[in-house]
């Protein structure tokens, strides 16, 4: 799959009015693109969530762990 070709095909079928609506979004993406914003593994929230201090399974299964 070639994403660029797929997008170009879609754009070819859009009206000028549709393209006018799309243009500000495309300009914003081009000017402000930062790959790290799209990587959940690098986010602080993800790191906190998966960290050892937030082990949800220990909390959920605490009763079962205590009985074993």
């Amino acid at each position: 799959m070639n994403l660029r070709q797929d997008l170009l095909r879609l754009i070819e079928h859009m009206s000028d009015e549709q393209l006018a609506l799309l243009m500000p979004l495309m300009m914003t993406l081009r000017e402000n693109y930062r790959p790290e914003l799209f990587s959940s593994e690098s986010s602080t929230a993800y790191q906190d969530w998966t960290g050892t201090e937030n082990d949800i399974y220990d909390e959920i299964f605490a009763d079962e762990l205590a009985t074993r």
Side-chain angles (χ1 to χ4, degrees):
M1 171 173 77
N2 188 338
L3 189 57
R4 183 177 304 274
Q5 287 177 349
D6 290 344
L7 286 171
L8 288 172
R9 269 189 239 112
L10 286 171
I11 289 170
E12 288 174 0
H13 293 89
M14 295 176 78
S15 69
D16 286 344
E17 292 81 14
Q18 291 171 319
L19 291 172
L21 292 172
L22 184 61
M23 190 60 136
L25 173 63
M26 298 306 293
M27 296 298 290
T28 301
L29 286 172
R30 185 182 73 176
E31 293 167 5
N32 300 309
Y33 178 69
R34 293 185 3 220
E36 66 274 10
L37 293 177
F38 300 99
S39 174
S40 63
E41 288 86 12
S42 65
S43 75
T44 303
Y46 181 83
Q47 295 300 321
D48 290 345
W49 180 55
T50 59
T52 56
E53 292 181 13
N54 189 28
D55 194 349
I56 190 74
Y57 295 104
D58 285 347
E59 293 176 27
I60 292 173
F61 299 109
D63 293 336
E64 289 187 30
L65 292 172
T67 60
R68 289 183 185 209

